[in-house]
Amino acid sequence: MIKLIVGLGNPGRQYEKTRHNAGFLFLDALASKFSCDWVSESRFQGMLSGCNASAGMVMLLKPETFMNRSGQSVGKIVRYYKLMPEEILVVHDELDFDAGIIKLKNGGGHAGHNGLKDIIAHLGSREFYRLRIGVGRPVAGKAVADYVLTSPSKDEWELINSAIDSGVACIDRLVAGDMATVMNKLHS
């Protein structure tokens, strides 16, 4: 059962509509579906919301640290609520998938994603779930940092939003821990 869903992104208006904020955008869509309000929680260095999915209450967290320090916020809330890594779902942008692709996995490395790298360091574990939202790769010669910190084209936005909608539609099964069903649905 998932008790905490973390969306990765960067705080600030200049980053709101960037590829790197796919995790924040997912949580905003989820909070909208459940009519949840966000509250700034300084003790967790993040924006927190609680949503009542059919499988039970789930906390939503948007770290207010920058991406490469996401683990500070995640570590604090995990220790406070005594959560196990397998009760955590981290939603993030994924360069290895084209825009519009969304996939679920458990464990693994960080693949160069600084937000995941910091979370792994603060949790001392890689065994949390990840919901990866494809944003595609930059064209040859364009720096990855510049690419993820810019807004996608209108067509890419539509694909990314479609992927987010697909993930949100699976939220009750995700919270319930029915990961095989979610993987079958998202990966087909």
Side-chain angles (χ1 to χ4, degrees), residues 73-124:
S73 176
V74 175
K76 286 179 180 185
I77 197 167
V78 165
R79 285 187 297 279
Y80 183 84
Y81 287 105
K82 297 176 177 52
L83 299 173
M84 301 300 295
E86 61 271 13
E87 296 173 319
I88 304 165
L89 173 67
V90 176
V91 185
H92 64 89
D93 58 307
E94 178 61 66
L95 289 169
D96 289 333
F97 300 155
D98 291 335
I101 303 295
I102 185 167
K103 292 190 178 186
L104 176 68
K105 78 179 243 183
N106 184 25
H110 55 76
H113 194 291
N114 289 327
L116 291 176
K117 184 177 183 180
D118 199 53
I119 290 170
I120 290 167
H122 280 268
L123 294 183

Side-chain angles (χ1 to χ4, degrees), residues 17-186:
K17 301 288 184 179
T18 63
R19 293 173 178 92
H20 222 19
N21 274 33
F24 278 11
L25 295 169
F26 180 87
L27 287 193
D28 287 339
L30 200 55
S32 178
K33 173 183 173 144
F34 288 102
S35 300
C36 302
D37 294 321
W38 292 102
V39 176
S40 181
E41 283 285 349
S42 58
R43 65 182 163 170
F44 302 132
Q45 292 179 278
M47 297 294 292
L48 192 63
S49 185
C51 294
N52 202 4
S54 64
M57 181 61 95
V58 63
M59 293 179 288
L60 309 180
L61 174 69
K62 294 194 294 188
E64 290 185 302
T65 58
F66 281 91
M67 179 70 76
N68 60 351
R69 296 288 179 243
S70 299
Q72 292 174 354
S73 176
V74 175
K76 286 179 180 185
I77 197 167
V78 165
R79 285 187 297 279
Y80 183 84
Y81 287 105
K82 297 176 177 52
L83 299 173
M84 301 300 295
E86 61 271 13
E87 296 173 319
I88 304 165
L89 173 67
V90 176
V91 185
H92 64 89
D93 58 307
E94 178 61 66
L95 289 169
D96 289 333
F97 300 155
D98 291 335
I101 303 295
I102 185 167
K103 292 190 178 186
L104 176 68
K105 78 179 243 183
N106 184 25
H110 55 76
H113 194 291
N114 289 327
L116 291 176
K117 184 177 183 180
D118 199 53
I119 290 170
I120 290 167
H122 280 268
L123 294 183
S125 175
R126 299 168 184 240
E127 299 309 312
F128 51 89
Y129 286 93
R130 298 108 188 268
L131 191 60
R132 304 172 297 160
I133 300 170
V135 297
R137 282 211 168 268
V139 295
K142 184 168 184 171
V144 169
D146 292 337
Y147 177 76
V148 296
L149 294 176
T150 57
S151 294
S153 69
K154 183 181 176 189
D155 290 342
E156 288 174 312
W157 260 129
E158 288 177 11
L159 293 169
I160 290 167
N161 282 325
S162 176
I164 288 170
D165 290 345
S166 295
V168 168
C170 295
I171 199 62
D172 289 320
R173 292 199 181 271
L174 279 168
V175 172
D178 189 1
M179 302 311 185
T181 300
V182 174
M183 285 181 185
N184 285 336
K185 182 173 175 123
L186 294 179

